[in-house]
Amino acid sequence: MPLKPDITPPEAQDTRVGFALVGIGKLTAEELIPAARTSEHAYVAALVSGEADKARGFARALGLTDADAYTYEQFDELAAREDVQAVYIVTPNSLHREYATRAARLGKHVLCEKPLGVNAQDAQAIVDACREAGVLLMTAYRCQYTPEHWAARDAVQDGTLGDLRLLHSIHAQVEDDPEAWRLKRELAGGGPLPDVGIYSLNTLRFLTGQEPEWVFATQHQPDADPRFREVEASMSALLGFPGGVSATIQTSYAAHRTGTLRVMGEEGSLHMDPAFPYDGLKLSLSGDDGTRQPSFPEYDQFTLEFDHFAQCIRSGDTPWTPGEEGVQDHVIMDALYESARTGQVVRLPTHTKRDAFRGTKPQLPQKQQ
């Protein structure tokens, strides 16, 4: 796959945190490698893939050597690499637990793609392994590192919209390939909910800083469509937040690509469309005085993630989206699947602390006036 143009980072490599990228698929090739090239605090020191030739090819393209390319069977050899301080796990969901726990045993800090695992038990095992090994764990929720989403969060929490009333988000796309790993329950843990619907769920929690008290969900799994033999095609969910705040989420693998977010208060509203792609986010804030669209400098979402985690590794601070944040989404998603299966409202543990699962706030690009 072609790589994006190289840009000389502002900081010398020997002062940055070295990462091993575990899994070389589309996301790694088209987003993570270019993002690491422009990172101020991180760089790619090694690559791990199921295909040795693929790993060596990408290593050479990065200016690395064949010795920096590893197969999954060679993963534990990273223990000897002092320049590899962290791993970024970009494998199918069912492999997150194995490689996160192995990395922790090697003494490597772990940045893991969402969802953290395939269910809450799986995700909690990763948190426990990293805590026991004394390494940092960050769940890669890129939307919690963008200035647009933070501006939306500020509007929700600083009173700009008045008392919060309703939230709604849709995230959908068409998954054409019946053999895709994302359509295999054992590999993915579910269908669109843990893949794209999780962005809606996680962002609503991020905006409010609060946790839902109960959930109710329905799902559709058509019998005649070979894509959905194992996982749902679509899910719709209602979530009850503290103070009577109501949120709805819709997600699908069988609907035209859509990613929107809307929040309504008594005195104003906000709208993000698109709300979840890698770039091109658009935020509108509306009130009695009209509508405005704040602007922000250019940035790369994955670069912001790399830099935040690298800074936490240097300082020892807890990342803004630690493993516990990933576990909480699994707790809620497990409840959503239970509700869809039983047709009943499912109540969740009560968390009264705002941002109960989050750590140190990230540095963000400054808003332009």
Side-chain angles (χ1 to χ4, degrees):
M1 298 179 184
L3 302 179
K4 293 180 180 178
D6 197 359
I7 299 176
T8 302
E11 197 175 291
Q13 181 167 299
D14 60 3
T15 68
R16 291 181 284 153
V17 173
F19 279 76
L21 303 184
V22 184
I24 309 177
K26 183 177 181 181
L27 182 67
T28 299
E30 296 185 1
E31 304 298 335
L32 301 186
I33 289 175
R37 284 171 154 172
T38 62
S39 170
E40 182 178 354
H41 303 292
Y43 74 101
V44 175
L47 295 160
V48 183
S49 173
E51 303 172 46
D53 289 344
K54 186 176 187 179
R56 285 192 291 266
F58 273 88
R60 293 166 188 164
L62 273 167
L64 303 176
T65 70
D66 288 357
D68 299 314
Y70 298 80
T71 63
Y72 290 133
E73 290 75 17
Q74 298 171 312
F75 181 82
D76 289 351
E77 295 178 18
L78 290 172
R81 292 287 300 265
E82 294 184 1
D83 58 332
V84 175
Q85 297 167 263
V87 300
Y88 191 157
I89 298 172
V90 206
T91 63
N93 304 342
S94 64
L95 297 177
H96 289 180
R97 177 175 177 175
E98 175 184 353
Y99 286 98
T101 55
R102 287 174 67 180
R105 288 196 296 268
L106 300 181
K108 309 300 182 183
H109 303 286
V110 179
L111 175 56
C112 186
E113 262 305 315
K114 59 82 200 159
L116 191 55
V118 295
N119 53 43
Q121 181 180 8
D122 202 42
Q124 185 62 52
I126 296 175
V127 171
D128 293 342
C130 290
R131 182 182 297 120
E132 181 178 348
V135 299
L136 295 180
L137 170 62
M138 174 173 151
T139 314
Y141 286 120
R142 56 183 174 80
C143 289
Q144 292 201 40
Y145 295 90
T146 79
E148 287 88 351
H149 287 93
W150 272 88
R153 173 186 162 97
D154 289 343
V156 169
Q157 296 194 19
D158 68 8
T160 297
L161 307 183
D163 290 339
L164 193 60
R165 293 294 179 240
L166 302 173
L167 304 96
H168 178 59
S169 182
I170 301 174
H171 201 184
Q173 65 187 42
V174 174
E175 182 58 68
D176 290 321
D177 182 6
E179 301 306 316
W181 69 262
R182 288 178 175 83
L183 298 177
K184 309 298 182 184
R185 181 170 296 279
E186 185 176 353
L187 291 174
L193 177 61
D195 184 27
V196 294
I198 193 173
Y199 284 107
S200 295
L201 171 61
N202 187 261
T203 301
L204 296 186
R205 294 179 48 242
F206 164 72
L207 293 181
T208 63
Q210 297 182 316
E211 302 301 325
E213 300 172 324
W214 56 265
V215 298
F216 177 76
T218 62
Q219 68 178 28
H220 177 54
Q221 190 170 347
D223 295 331
D225 194 322
R227 294 175 296 173
F228 305 114
R229 289 189 295 263
E230 300 183 27
V231 301
E232 76 277 5
S234 304
M235 177 177 280
S236 296
L238 180 64
L239 300 85
F241 282 83
V245 176
S246 178
T248 53
I249 291 173
Q250 293 177 295
T251 187
S252 180
Y253 269 161
H256 183 71
R257 183 177 293 275
T258 304
T260 65
L261 172 68
R262 189 177 292 275
V263 180
M264 289 143 279
E266 284 194 342
E267 300 174 16
S269 65
L270 69 81
H271 186 208
M272 290 189 71
D273 187 5
F276 306 118
Y278 300 150
D279 51 35
L281 302 177
K282 293 183 179 179
L283 170 65
S284 296
L285 299 169
S286 299
D288 292 340
D289 56 351
T291 298
R292 58 187 177 89
Q293 295 180 321
S295 60
F296 303 88
E298 291 187 6
Y299 62 89
D300 184 299
Q301 294 177 14
F302 297 98
T303 298
L304 297 180
E305 282 188 322
F306 271 123
D307 281 343
H308 177 67
F309 193 46
Q311 288 172 305
C312 288
I313 290 171
R314 287 172 168 173
S315 66
D317 290 338
T318 300
W320 172 249
T321 53
E324 290 81 359
E325 173 77 350
V327 172
Q328 176 64 359
D329 273 336
H330 275 294
V331 168
I332 299 169
M333 290 189 293
D334 289 353
L336 289 170
Y337 280 122
E338 179 185 349
S339 177
R341 183 178 66 254
T342 64
Q344 302 295 316
V345 169
V346 176
R347 300 203 68 84
L348 294 161
T350 300
H351 299 281
T352 57
K353 179 183 175 183
R354 189 174 292 274
D355 293 322
F357 304 99
R358 301 188 180 99
T360 305
K361 181 178 177 179
Q363 296 179 2
L364 300 168
Q366 296 299 308
K367 181 171 65 174
Q368 296 176 336
Q369 300 300 321

